[in-house]
Amino acid sequence: MSTKDSCRSEIRAAIRQLSDRCLNSAAKWAAEQLVGIEQDPAKYTPSNTRFQRGSSSIRRRFRTNEITSTPTTGVSYVSTPLMEEDEAVDSDFYLLAKSYFDCREYRRAAHVLRDQTGKKSVFLRCYALYLAGEKRKEEEMIELEGPLGKSDAVNRELDSLERELSILRKNGTVDPFGLYLFGIVLKEKGNQTLARTVLVESVNSYPWNWNAWAELLSICTTIETLNSLSLSNHWMKDFFIASAYLELRMHNESLVKYESLLGTFAYSNYIQAQIAKAKYSLREFEQVEVTFEELLRNDPYRVEDMDMYSNVLYSKECFSALSSLAHRVFMTDKYRPESCCIIGNYYSLKGQHEKSVVYFRRALKLNRNYLSAWTLMGHEYVEMKNTPAAIDAYRRAVAINPNDYRAWYGLGQAYEMMCMPVYALHYFKKSIFLQPNDYRLWIAIAQCYETDEIHMLEEAIKCYRRAANCNDREAIALHQLAKLHRELGQSEEAAFYYKKDLEKMEVEEREGPNVVEALLFLAQHCRAQKSYEEAEVYCTRLLDYTGPERETAKNMLRGMRMGESTFPSMDVEHFPP
């Protein structure tokens, strides 16, 4: 049996087992990977498959060379351990409980299984109790503080579940799904070290439960923690490592992993979406847009990850495309957090910030831990000059995920608006620690150092240099470096950066006051260095502009040509502040 056939067989069995235990989101994820495996051309023809073999533009883009059915590293993967099923012991009760569970009657489901001892029944009973506790916790939050309020409500089932599952684990009578639930309970109670150990046991025993991997991912916040995990070498480990790299902002390493997985899961929409996420973080928006367009052609009713696509369209100010996407997700499922965020982005792009906030709040009512909605709502409050509300939204975002650099950056912006540069600098530093290659963050920190309250110009220069090295697309860093060096009396350094800034403006065909300022300073500097020919070049270019600069250039040219030494000097007042 080939590698792909073996993998396909394992996934089919996993889907049945996951569905049988009501882990429907994990079953859906597995099913999507199943159809993502390249189909056998002897059994499937282009007319009855979703993709025409070899015609996918995504596949051509990410697979420049033919990839074999085994990983490029040549490693061998372990097979999924067989699960011991026990339906014969408690089949009738289990079917009734599962029916109640599917109808969201969790306590009835748990009650039906109260005397059942089979591993499947024990898991479903504990899982039903856990979800019943979560449901009641959400109700208490709304009753006490409102849908978006802060609350101390807790899941009251956690203590009893921890005791029971701990005993089962010690006795060796808990299955991998019970270990998965035990890991969730330990994580919510704050025992992350033991939670990691238990979740590793779960995924090693049964790797195809993506929900367990996702929980493990949420408590692996550093590369050291990730490397310390003792994981079996299964297909799912590669999915997990690639996703972990993405969360840890190791975007290039994540891309390598996902492109390797394309060797087997050639048509996985999930992998393509993850690749798009990595490229989004690298700000390669053109490629991200193409990938999402392809995903929508293949899966027109997809809502997952489309909020990121809307962010790309928003940044590019694509009104019509964002409007079309908002209409599409509204007609597909308007009560999804992603749909509400997309519609919120659409109204934000139109400048209707109040309407935008309404939809972001709606997304949070559907999922109060939806990180993007808190961050985007903070951005909208900034636009509305409602700084206290913006700060609250950003703080809620970092409480959910302290590694979200956008929320820390938003906090910095909010305090900057309140003319509190010391606080702003603190939050900008937190954001740059998480995203060190973003030029916008370095510029924000530099501007804080430039303020009168801090006034650390040497530190500002260091930050602007980092911004310039990070491909400053807004052309701010070079100009500010030139101005700061000029202000500090470092004329050679100032001339160096003015020249670089002028060259960049010429390449990008930009005009404006920055060009005039650079030409004026360089003309003055070259004249002082007795480089009269070069000074004359800059003065001649200034003659194309109107205003006092033109007259200054004329006087300088006249003075150089007549050999005069007493023509108007270029003092600092000639430069705009």
Side-chain angles (χ1 to χ4, degrees):
M1 184 181 291
S2 70
T3 304
K4 291 182 181 179
D5 288 339
S6 175
C7 187
R8 193 179 293 121
S9 177
E10 283 191 21
I11 299 178
R12 288 197 183 106
I15 293 168
R16 289 191 293 270
Q17 290 166 337
L18 292 165
S19 299
D20 204 26
R21 288 166 176 79
C22 301
L23 295 173
N24 296 322
S25 60
K28 184 186 82 167
W29 186 91
E32 288 177 349
Q33 307 323 307
L34 176 64
V35 299
I37 298 176
E38 187 174 359
Q39 303 296 335
D40 184 352
K43 298 178 181 178
Y44 300 89
T45 60
S47 61
N48 59 20
T49 54
R50 190 172 45 135
F51 300 93
Q52 290 195 3
R53 188 171 172 82
S55 66
S56 171
S57 62
I58 292 182
R59 188 182 180 198
R60 288 197 302 270
R61 190 162 52 255
F62 293 116
R63 301 178 68 201
T64 55
N65 300 316
E66 187 63 26
I67 300 177
T68 61
S69 61
T70 56
T72 54
T73 55
V75 297
S76 59
Y77 289 90
V78 299
S79 60
T80 303
L82 295 174
M83 293 288 296
E84 295 182 6
E85 302 292 2
D86 52 10
E87 297 95 332
V89 178
D90 49 12
S91 177
D92 294 341
F93 287 105
Y94 187 86
L95 288 175
L96 176 60
K98 187 174 183 301
S99 300
Y100 286 148
F101 187 99
D102 292 339
C103 294
R104 297 173 59 86
E105 298 183 50
Y106 301 126
R107 293 199 182 276
R108 290 186 76 185
H111 179 74
V112 168
L113 298 172
R114 64 191 181 281
D115 296 325
Q116 305 302 313
T117 58
K119 291 181 180 179
K120 281 176 61 178
S121 295
V122 169
F123 167 74
L124 189 60
R125 175 174 57 79
C126 292
Y127 191 36
L129 285 173
Y130 169 76
L131 290 181
E134 286 293 297
K135 185 179 178 183
R136 182 56 194 149
K137 182 179 78 171
E138 290 290 331
E139 292 168 352
E140 288 180 2
M141 286 180 177
I142 294 174
E143 291 164 1
L144 298 175
E145 300 291 342
L148 300 182
K150 298 178 181 178
S151 174
D152 296 327
V154 296
N155 186 335
R156 301 181 188 277
E157 302 293 337
L158 294 180
D159 290 336
S160 61
L161 286 172
E162 182 183 17
R163 286 193 297 271
E164 180 176 357
L165 292 169
S166 179
I167 293 171
L168 292 173
R169 178 172 175 255
K170 288 178 182 177
N171 295 338
T173 56
V174 63
D175 67 358
F177 300 101
L179 289 171
Y180 153 65
L181 181 59
F182 189 26
I184 294 177
V185 171
L186 290 169
K187 174 191 155 188
E188 294 202 8
K189 295 203 71 179
N191 191 348
Q192 294 197 353
T193 302
L194 183 55
R196 276 193 293 269
T197 301
V198 171
L199 287 169
V200 167
E201 291 177 15
S202 175
V203 297
N204 283 342
S205 302
Y206 188 78
W208 283 112
N209 182 7
W210 179 247
N211 287 1
W213 290 104
E215 293 295 336
L216 182 59
L217 177 63
S218 67
I219 51 178
C220 292
T221 54
T222 65
I223 188 62
E224 292 77 19
T225 303
L226 181 66
N227 291 335
S228 69
L229 301 179
S230 179
L231 299 170
S232 298
N233 195 34
H234 188 271
W235 286 105
M236 294 295 285
K237 178 183 175 181
D238 282 351
F239 279 102
F240 169 73
I241 294 295
S243 185
Y245 284 161
L246 198 57
E247 289 297 318
L248 295 171
R249 300 168 302 283
M250 299 167 62
H251 306 303
N252 291 315
E253 293 84 350
S254 179
L255 282 172
V256 170
K257 278 286 184 184
Y258 280 124
E259 289 172 7
S260 175
L261 283 167
L262 284 174
T264 297
F265 302 90
Y267 296 115
S268 168
N269 284 344
Y270 167 79
I271 294 177
Q272 303 299 349
Q274 293 297 98
I275 288 174
K277 286 182 182 179
K279 290 186 176 292
Y280 176 83
S281 298
L282 294 170
R283 303 187 65 79
E284 297 177 8
F285 291 154
E286 294 296 333
Q287 294 186 39
V288 174
E289 185 177 5
V290 171
T291 301
F292 276 117
E293 287 173 356
E294 184 81 9
L295 282 174
L296 282 176
R297 279 194 293 271
N298 299 328
D299 187 3
Y301 300 103
R302 182 185 182 91
V303 178
E304 293 93 336
D305 308 311
M306 288 300 119
D307 51 337
M308 180 177 291
Y309 181 31
S310 74
N311 292 339
V312 173
L313 296 176
Y314 180 92
S315 65
K316 296 181 67 177
E317 298 185 0
C318 299
F319 284 92
S320 59
L322 185 52
S323 173
S324 175
L325 180 63
H327 179 75
R328 182 195 292 260
V329 296
F330 183 85
M331 298 303 295
T332 300
D333 188 352
K334 65 179 180 180
Y335 294 115
R336 284 276 291 274
E338 296 93 338
S339 301
C340 295
C341 272
I342 292 168
I343 298 170
N345 271 340
Y346 169 69
Y347 281 118
S348 177
L349 190 58
K350 291 183 68 177
Q352 300 180 21
H353 302 296
E354 293 82 1
K355 271 191 174 182
S356 182
V357 167
V358 168
Y359 279 95
F360 290 136
R361 291 180 70 85
R362 184 176 294 178
L364 291 166
K365 288 179 182 178
L366 295 167
N367 180 0
R368 63 191 297 118
N369 292 324
Y370 193 56
L371 180 65
S372 294
W374 283 115
T375 306
L376 292 172
M377 189 163 69
H379 295 344
E380 294 308 301
Y381 280 130
V382 167
E383 293 290 338
M384 295 163 64
K385 304 296 188 291
N386 188 346
T387 311
I391 289 174
D392 180 64
Y394 289 134
R395 289 194 183 281
R396 299 288 286 275
V398 297
I400 296 168
N401 183 4
N403 292 326
D404 181 25
Y405 81 93
R406 297 170 302 170
W408 291 116
Y409 178 64
L411 279 169
Q413 283 187 310
Y415 280 104
E416 194 174 40
M417 287 175 60
M418 297 169 67
C419 299
M420 300 171 72
V422 176
Y423 285 91
L425 181 62
H426 170 73
Y427 292 116
F428 285 142
K429 284 183 175 179
K430 282 184 172 289
S431 68
I432 204 65
F433 175 77
L434 297 168
Q435 191 78 358
N437 295 321
D438 194 325
Y439 70 89
R440 298 170 301 173
L441 308 185
W442 287 112
I443 288 173
I445 293 176
Q447 289 172 343
C448 286
Y449 280 128
E450 284 188 89
T451 57
D452 293 335
E453 291 88 338
I454 300 177
H455 202 68
M456 297 172 64
L457 299 186
E458 292 293 343
E459 293 299 318
I461 286 173
K462 292 178 184 177
C463 293
Y464 280 127
R465 283 177 182 160
R466 289 294 299 269
N469 292 334
C470 293
N471 189 21
D472 172 21
R473 300 179 185 179
E474 296 177 24
I476 295 174
L478 289 175
H479 184 72
Q480 290 301 114
L481 281 168
K483 291 182 68 172
L484 286 174
H485 280 298
R486 188 195 71 212
E487 186 176 332
L488 293 171
Q490 300 167 351
S491 58
E492 287 294 333
E493 290 84 351
F496 172 78
Y497 285 110
Y498 271 126
K499 283 182 180 179
K500 290 190 70 173
D501 190 30
L502 190 60
E503 289 169 3
K504 189 170 183 179
M505 288 187 286
E506 288 171 352
V507 170
E508 297 174 358
E509 298 181 351
R510 286 188 284 118
E511 295 289 343
N514 287 0
V515 176
V516 175
E517 180 179 335
L519 291 172
L520 277 170
F521 181 87
L522 290 171
Q524 150 75 16
H525 178 74
C526 291
R527 186 201 64 180
Q529 298 295 317
K530 301 187 186 310
S531 300
Y532 297 122
E533 290 184 5
E534 192 174 354
E536 187 172 339
V537 171
Y538 293 125
C539 289
T540 303
R541 289 183 61 181
L542 281 169
L543 296 178
D544 295 332
Y545 297 90
T546 58
E549 299 84 4
R550 178 187 175 95
E551 295 303 317
T552 302
K554 282 182 179 180
N555 291 335
M556 290 181 67
L557 283 170
R558 188 180 303 112
M560 285 186 288
R561 288 168 182 171
M562 294 176 61
E564 294 177 358
S565 58
T566 55
F567 40 78
S569 62
M570 298 291 294
D571 296 323
V572 188
E573 59 264 25
H574 287 98
F575 296 96

